[in-house]
Amino acid sequence: MLILGIETATQQVSVAIGGHEGVLGMFEVSRGRRHAETLIPAVEFLCAQADVQIDEFGAIAVDIGPGLFTGMRVGLAAGKAMAQALRIPMIGISSLDLLAFPLRHADRTIAAVIDARKGELFYAFYKPVPGGVQRVTEPVVGRAADLAADLMARGQNVVCVGDGALRYREEIAGGAACDFAEQFLAHPSAAPLVQLAHARALREEWVNPWEIQPLYLRAPDAQINWSTRESAR
Amino acid sequence: MSGITVDDRTLVLGIETSCDETAAALVMGGYDIVSSAVSTQVDLHAEFGGVVPEIASRAHLDLLNPMIARAIVEAGVGEERIDAVACTVGPGLIGALLVGVSAAKALALTWGVPFVGVNHMEAHLYAAFLEDPTLEFPLVVLLVSGGHTMLIEMQDHGRYRLLGQTIDDAAGEAFDKVARFLGLGYPGGPAIDREALQGDPEAIAFPRAMLHDGLDFSFSGLKTSVMNHVRKHPDVSAADVAASFQAAVVDVLVAKARRAAEAVGARGLVLGGGVAANSLLRERFLSVCTEGGIRGFLPSREMCTDNAAMIAAAGWHRLRADGPTALDAGAYPNLRLPLLP
Ligand SMILES: [Zn+2]
């Protein structure tokens, strides 16, 4: 089965096509932050180059966050619309799982850390297991100091990965035993997304497009917008 | 995709997510509403007394797929009959717009049909055509909503001239703020409308700003005098304040609309936008049209408030005039109506 993977939860736009042969093609751009502009042309380009017709997809995988809300919704809205039109199921995978997965061969605990803006981070801990990683804590939102305290409490060497880890490197490392994964692993990518999704598809662990839910982890900021409001009745 | 024929059999799916209504509709040939599904989020925002952008965006993501499904099911046609997907690209709330735009472009790519980006204000101008395709140009449209108060001359499809607009608050914004001040709840338009039924519109002589002065509007002074009056007379009847305030807004709107229609020799005067659901405005609008011997057109309340049928209609006209919009289009929160110089 061919799977289209859509990843827009951080500043990167990433699209991949995968199946039982692994990742067949990928498009990724991490500059510009033009998620809505880039995503659909990227899908079109990738399908053309990989010689895949859109109706060949058997499932659509999306990053459900946590991440930047507006970007996340671009991928979710597009993925849900395509799945509904094609009448195929969806597979939602957390951005933190996608960050941790490429470090599955590490010999220690992994902290996946996404920059949540407003001085906060989304993070969770993982441990390597045969064939992948296993999440060992619930994803949370907190400050760099909270993560640093969590790391100290663990008292073991941890490898931190993600744009949040790199941005708050100093605060996180203060006193705790940790290393940092490289910049090229700092954003969740659609390549691990289609790999993880394929494994789930084999177990038929999927949902209908109207059932997929983003992982916001933060309540909406209840600031009212008077100026751009258009449709008062 | 270029070189497509756009005719009276062309079926357009419209999508609208610019503010607090999630909507999808199918319109054939630019005028014929085949189906129209609207889900309003008004209850989600009521406790905040205004639209909260992040709450709106989250709700659009949940509601859009069901609205699209409903529009297609109610139309009783197969998806393969859909010839184009039109969606509001602005103006509106950026996060809200992006949900619709992303879904619309994804559908267009999946079905292999053109995508058309639609200006929400232009779509409001087209709402009247959905109910009366015999309207003739030039038309004057009084567009009143929470974000806009404008008098537009429609010389032809796509040819618009701005005759007047608000220099401060939009009329709908004034309704919301006064309703909030009077503790009448949200949204302000219907709340004032209801309360005013019990009051005397002549009880308080609120100012009619710039009534005899050009075709522009100003509502911020009126809002201030309502607040001053209530502070000075704390035991005043809220119903009288609501009725007198509403009468002051409506007087100015209809007087200027009539004057604008006469100035350009319009063959029709059309009311549009969310505030056009107000009952006093509807009544007075029709009476000034009769007095002035102008052909007035009052769309139904469903067509005045945000809906996707008007998006599909405007999309059909844009597709015919300009062809498809490229798939790398984004959303434009401050998009303006394309005006003639
Ligand atoms: Zn509107």
Side-chain angles (χ1 to χ4, degrees), chain B residues 203-223:
Chain B
I204 310 151
F206 286 127
R208 269 72 172 157
M210 304 162 61
L211 182 60
H212 304 289
D213 194 13
L215 294 173
D216 284 340
F217 303 91
S218 166
F219 295 107
S220 124
L222 172 60
K223 180 191 72 197

Side-chain angles (χ1 to χ4, degrees), chain A residues 230-231, chain B residues 16 18 120-121 124 145 273-274 304-306 310:
Chain A
E230 205 282 314
S231 68
Chain B
E16 158 62 33
S18 68
H120 183 88
M121 304 311 297
H124 271 299
S145 72
C304 293
T305 51
D306 286 353
M310 68 181 194

Side-chain angles (χ1 to χ4, degrees), chain A residues 36-37 41 54 69-70 73 80-82 84 87 216 218 220-221 223-226 228-233, chain B residues 20-21 48-49 51-54 57-58 61 65 79 93 98 105 120 145-147 176 186 189-190 305-306 328:
Chain A
E37 291 86 341
I54 286 189
F69 299 161
T70 301
R73 277 190 292 260
K80 285 171 69 169
M82 287 185 75
Q84 180 174 348
R87 296 190 173 80
Y216 288 114
R218 199 147 66 183
D221 185 356
Q223 205 167 26
I224 293 160
N225 193 313
W226 289 103
T228 25
R229 176 127 186 273
E230 205 282 314
S231 68
R233 284 165 300 168
Chain B
D20 58 349
E21 261 89 29
F48 304 99
V51 177
V52 180
E54 178 59 23
S57 303
R58 290 184 184 192
L61 184 64
N65 289 55
E79 291 164 12
L93 302 168
L98 283 173
K105 293 198 299 182
H120 183 88
S145 72
D176 273 340
Y186 170 85
T305 51
D306 286 353
D328 64 355

Side-chain angles (χ1 to χ4, degrees), chain A residues 103-183:
Chain A
L103 299 181
R104 61 193 175 278
H105 303 299
D107 54 359
R108 54 200 141 139
T109 301
I110 302 151
V113 190
I114 284 176
D115 185 356
R117 306 287 160 87
K118 302 178 182 176
E120 292 186 318
L121 299 165
F122 298 123
Y123 63 91
F125 290 95
Y126 292 80
K127 68 173 186 202
V129 293
V133 292
Q134 186 179 31
R135 188 163 52 72
V136 292
T137 62
E138 285 300 307
V140 291
V141 59
R143 304 201 153 259
D146 301 327
L147 173 57
D150 280 359
L151 285 166
M152 291 241 270
R154 295 196 156 254
Q156 48 179 304
N157 202 304
V158 173
V159 55
C160 299
V161 62
D163 60 355
L166 296 180
R167 176 165 178 185
Y168 294 97
R169 194 179 184 127
E170 314 285 297
E171 290 97 314
I172 294 167
C178 61
D179 288 316
F180 291 85
E182 288 168 67
Q183 169 66 41

Side-chain angles (χ1 to χ4, degrees), chain B:
Chain B
M1 286 203 306
S2 56
I4 57 148
T5 31
V6 180
D7 58 26
D8 60 5
R9 298 283 301 155
T10 305
L11 186 63
V12 178
L13 170 67
I15 291 176
E16 158 62 33
T17 64
S18 68
C19 191
D20 58 349
E21 261 89 29
T22 314
L26 282 166
V27 171
M28 191 181 292
Y31 299 98
D32 185 8
I33 303 175
V34 182
S35 64
S36 179
V38 182
S39 171
T40 179
Q41 308 171 5
V42 76
D43 294 342
L44 294 178
H45 302 281
E47 65 171 301
F48 304 99
V51 177
V52 180
E54 178 59 23
I55 292 177
S57 303
R58 290 184 184 192
H60 285 307
L61 184 64
D62 286 341
L63 295 166
L64 184 54
N65 289 55
M67 285 305 111
I68 294 170
R70 194 198 289 177
I72 292 173
V73 169
E74 279 176 11
V77 298
E79 291 164 12
E80 68 286 346
R81 267 289 286 114
I82 296 171
D83 298 304
V85 182
C87 178
T88 303
V89 294
L93 302 168
I94 180 71
L97 288 165
L98 283 173
V99 172
V101 171
S102 302
K105 293 198 299 182
L107 290 175
L109 177 68
T110 307
W111 289 330
V113 299
F115 164 73
V116 198
V118 170
N119 181 314
H120 183 88
M121 304 311 297
E122 185 171 38
H124 271 299
L125 299 180
Y126 275 101
F129 286 87
L130 285 164
E131 293 181 331
D132 189 352
T134 69
L135 287 170
E136 286 173 281
F137 297 116
L139 280 174
V140 167
V141 185
L142 171 63
L143 200 57
V144 256
S145 72
H148 301 272
T149 304
M150 295 173 151
L151 277 164
I152 308 282
E153 179 192 357
M154 264 183 113
Q155 295 179 349
D156 200 344
H157 295 293
R159 294 179 60 82
Y160 318 120
R161 203 156 65 89
L162 181 66
L163 303 173
Q165 64 181 330
T166 181
I167 58 166
D168 41 52
D169 291 354
E173 203 178 343
F175 270 96
D176 273 340
K177 288 178 179 173
V178 168
R180 209 150 112 105
F181 179 72
L182 295 176
L184 299 179
Y186 170 85
I192 297 258
D193 203 344
R194 267 194 311 273
E195 188 73 13
L197 291 174
Q198 324 293 327
D200 174 5
E202 287 168 23
I204 310 151
F206 286 127
R208 269 72 172 157
M210 304 162 61
L211 182 60
H212 304 289
D213 194 13
L215 294 173
D216 284 340
F217 303 91
S218 166
F219 295 107
S220 124
L222 172 60
K223 180 191 72 197
T224 311
S225 44
V226 168
M227 292 178 180
N228 289 341
H229 185 90
V230 174
R231 285 192 186 111
K232 240 182 273 171
H233 309 90
D235 52 350
V236 68
S237 134
D240 284 350
V241 176
S244 303
F245 160 76
Q246 180 175 269
V249 174
V250 168
D251 269 357
V252 180
L253 290 174
V254 297
K256 298 210 175 195
R258 176 182 173 178
R259 207 178 314 142
E262 287 167 353
V264 304
R267 303 182 70 171
L269 180 58
V270 175
L271 188 59
V275 177
N278 179 278
S279 35
L280 182 69
L281 178 56
R282 297 176 79 81
E283 185 189 316
R284 291 288 316 282
F285 176 83
L286 287 179
S287 59
V288 293
C289 287
T290 312
E291 283 160 35
I294 305 161
R295 186 179 170 206
F297 187 76
L298 197 55
S300 67
R301 283 181 164 83
E302 293 74 49
M303 272 307 124
C304 293
T305 51
D306 286 353
N307 65 82
M310 68 181 194
I311 306 301
W316 183 88
H317 285 279
R318 275 288 154 205
L319 187 62
R320 199 173 54 158
D322 305 335
T325 305
L327 287 176
D328 64 355
Y332 313 95
N334 302 312
L335 189 66
R336 288 171 181 274
L337 195 64
L339 295 170
L340 293 171

